[in-house]
Amino acid sequence: MESLRFLAFESGQEYEESMTKTRSLVCFVIAPGGLENLPLALAAGKSGATGIVDLEYTADFKSAANSIRQAVGTETARWGMKIAATTFSQWKSLLDELPNTLSAVFLTSIAPSTLREQVKFLRSKKIQVFVEATTLDEALAAEKAGADGVIAKGNEAGGRVSEETTFVLLQQFIAHVRIPVLAQGGIGPHSAAACYAAGARGVVLDWQVALFAESRLPDALKIRIARMDGSETQCTGRSIGSLYRLYVPRGSTVFSDLEKTEQKLISKGKLGRQAQWTQWIAENVEAEGNKKLWLIGQDVALAAPLTKKFATLQTLIKTIQRNAVDYCLKARHAKPLAEGAGSARVLGTRFPIIQGPMSRVSDAPAFAKAVADAGALPIMAVAMTADNELEQMLKNTARELGPRPWGVGLMGFLPPDFYANQLKSVKAYKPPFALIAGGRPAQAAELEANGIRAYVHTPAAGLLRLFLDAGVKRYVFEGRECGGHTGRFTSFVLWETVIDVLLEKVPSETARDFDLWFAGGISNAMSAAMVAAMTAPLVERGIHIGVLMGTAYLLTKEAVSRGAICKGYQERLLKSDHTDVLDSGNGYEVRTAPCPFTQTFEKEKAKLQSAGKPSEEVRGALELLNLGRLRIAAKGVAFN
């Protein structure tokens, strides 16, 4: 357990050394769509990356080997192949028939008992071995087996993915794994710099390059991809224990089959159901026509913008490699998250750190004072608080904080009359700052007119464009790594897309009027360094940045001693090594610490679904089940 002063980092000082190293960032490109897209993999190999042919779900191994041999021919560019460890024996006998320019193999769906033997054999052939890992245990197994590197495949990638996003998973791997780490999921010219700052040896691209000229994906799919923002993809298989992110074309019959298959397998034993689930996914990836599904990630949102911005695949790859070093050097020089820098200049705080509003947690004025004393901006969670309770909270906070800055967190989507009453109380006490979740430009303008600087929670790049046109200049960009109700997009995908919009639409002459808070998965020096690197072009233009954190504050001693949460709640958090996501359906997800209630939730969900209840009815019942649980847990009435 740490003091609040633990959070007073300065742009990741511990990682300045890695930010100044001039090592190059290695790029791999997995050509999406399988063997048919082999030309894209070969083009990547000629462009400064290593192109990877995706053979994970190929069933006709001999035919695939022949196709590769004919296509590669006398080409000298480096290339590799992605295969499932479960099919290694079939590929082992064919390796000598493949061109000797094969330089790398990506292994997926590993079996730790046979991994060492597989790695040893490939390395004897002078082939580098990289193991795809979605958990730390898988990464450690790869290290133990002697792999050349491990791929941190985050939740935003396509196919079998982690519950954790790339931003979080990469931090975990870098801290515990000694072999080189590659990052896959949400990678673009900005997020690649964040990976480099954390210590990643390389990055992996796939669906981001789907629209470049060399891609051989079907034209109909390319047209769809060009319109995608990533929200069209979904994760499935959580209840089975084997998570896949995929895209099912609208109107496809495979969608109903997917839901039925998942429900059917829930009752089976873990090992049996996971194997059958993987087999079902594989069969439908290889299917044709209306039965086919595509293992597309959220980062497909980057495909159209990248092809508009970069004329060739080679230009993209060179830019990613150059940005990785340049952004880190700029961040080290600017120190945007240092004492007195960035948002701190706007907020009047010691550090550009904001303690985010957490319902039934950020309602203790004594804790707000401790946050302010430590140099950050405390924000009181107004949430659903009303009448006398809200009045008392605001009054006590104003008395505790005195002249020091503080803010309130509002929910702009509440019923108009209820929100209006809350706003009346807020105006009376006039905190210097406000954050509006689900807010609109008109709501921000009303606060600004009353002398309260308003920040609008903006969960998508499309929404940012609208808000910029409406004149909003203060934003919060929070990825789905956050606790409580999560957004749709992961931090890397959200931040990558909004940075591009800001660079496009905010001119240098007005940049200093903008203040941006980044949130979701930020808790320490490494994560701060990643944000500083990724936002370097914004800072260079003159935009202020800060980091907003919630979960990190729950682990401080003051959170308990100042009455924000009870001791039992914190002890539960300290014992947790992961979080659970409670999915009510239709995009309503809540991130929570593992506890008995998560099991109650999943059982009730399965019961409602097996009874054939409509999705809206299921969601409503589950949201009602959630109601009041946070207050019980955080304040210690009972812990369920």
Side-chain angles (χ1 to χ4, degrees), residues 302-341:
L302 310 182
L306 288 178
T307 50
K308 290 177 182 177
K309 192 173 182 180
F310 300 99
T312 65
L313 184 59
Q314 182 177 37
T315 306
L316 168 64
I317 291 168
K318 295 300 182 186
T319 299
I320 286 175
Q321 292 175 322
R322 182 179 66 251
N323 283 359
V325 177
D326 289 352
Y327 280 23
C328 289
L329 290 174
K330 288 176 181 178
R332 180 176 182 269
H333 174 74
K335 290 182 170 56
L337 298 177
E339 182 175 352

Side-chain angles (χ1 to χ4, degrees), residues 215-424:
S215 176
R216 296 296 182 267
L217 291 172
D219 289 340
L221 181 61
K222 281 187 174 183
I223 292 172
R224 290 183 179 182
I225 287 173
R227 297 194 295 262
M228 288 183 179
D229 67 0
S231 63
E232 302 84 357
T233 69
Q234 60 182 303
C235 281
T236 185
R238 180 175 285 115
S239 57
I240 293 174
S242 183
L243 197 65
Y244 281 79
R245 183 174 289 278
L246 46 80
Y247 165 67
V248 179
R250 188 173 298 174
S252 172
T253 58
V254 76
F255 184 76
S256 59
D257 293 343
L258 185 151
E259 290 185 319
K260 291 175 183 177
T261 301
E262 185 172 1
Q263 287 303 311
K264 181 180 177 182
L265 293 176
I266 288 175
S267 60
K268 294 183 176 291
K270 186 173 182 180
L271 291 178
R273 70 188 183 194
Q274 287 185 356
Q276 290 183 53
W277 177 243
T278 300
Q279 180 61 33
W280 187 90
I281 293 288
E283 290 172 356
N284 283 276
V285 168
E286 288 296 297
E288 298 294 335
N290 208 35
K291 290 291 291 182
K292 189 176 181 68
L293 58 82
W294 295 87
L295 302 181
I296 297 178
Q298 263 193 11
D299 42 23
V300 72
L302 310 182
L306 288 178
T307 50
K308 290 177 182 177
K309 192 173 182 180
F310 300 99
T312 65
L313 184 59
Q314 182 177 37
T315 306
L316 168 64
I317 291 168
K318 295 300 182 186
T319 299
I320 286 175
Q321 292 175 322
R322 182 179 66 251
N323 283 359
V325 177
D326 289 352
Y327 280 23
C328 289
L329 290 174
K330 288 176 181 178
R332 180 176 182 269
H333 174 74
K335 290 182 170 56
L337 298 177
E339 182 175 352
S343 294
R345 296 170 182 160
V346 178
L347 303 175
T349 55
R350 183 180 173 191
F351 299 102
I353 300 172
I354 301 91
Q355 175 256 306
M358 295 172 279
S359 296
R360 302 306 175 188
V361 173
S362 305
D363 56 4
F367 182 62
K369 182 178 183 299
V371 171
D373 289 344
L377 180 77
I379 299 185
M380 305 301 289
V382 173
M384 295 291 293
T385 312
D387 302 331
N388 292 337
E389 185 181 359
L390 175 58
E391 184 80 12
Q392 196 64 39
M393 182 179 76
L394 296 174
K395 178 181 178 180
N396 292 341
T397 304
R399 185 179 64 248
E400 286 276 8
L401 272 295
R404 282 168 297 184
W406 58 287
V408 293
L410 297 163
M411 293 180 174
F413 52 83
L414 294 178
D417 290 345
F418 190 85
Y419 177 82
N421 286 333
Q422 288 185 329
L423 192 60
K424 183 179 179 180

Side-chain angles (χ1 to χ4, degrees), residues 391-508:
E391 184 80 12
Q392 196 64 39
M393 182 179 76
L394 296 174
K395 178 181 178 180
N396 292 341
T397 304
R399 185 179 64 248
E400 286 276 8
L401 272 295
R404 282 168 297 184
W406 58 287
V408 293
L410 297 163
M411 293 180 174
F413 52 83
L414 294 178
D417 290 345
F418 190 85
Y419 177 82
N421 286 333
Q422 288 185 329
L423 192 60
K424 183 179 179 180
S425 296
V426 169
K427 288 178 181 178
Y429 288 94
K430 204 172 183 178
F433 302 98
L435 184 162
I436 316 173
R440 302 183 301 278
Q443 292 172 318
E446 183 176 3
L447 287 162
E448 294 273 356
N450 282 271
I452 301 172
R453 299 184 192 182
Y455 292 73
V456 181
H457 186 277
T458 309
L463 202 58
L464 173 61
R465 288 184 179 275
L466 295 176
F467 288 178
L468 285 168
D469 290 341
V472 177
K473 295 181 179 179
R474 312 182 207 281
Y475 294 93
V476 179
F477 303 120
E478 183 177 74
R480 77 181 305 272
E481 292 88 335
C482 67
H485 281 93
T486 66
R488 185 180 296 273
F489 298 108
T490 70
S491 287
F492 270 3
V493 173
L494 176 62
W495 298 345
E496 182 76 28
T497 53
V498 299
I499 288 172
D500 270 345
V501 171
L502 290 161
L503 291 174
E504 173 194 338
K505 295 182 71 70
V506 178
S508 298

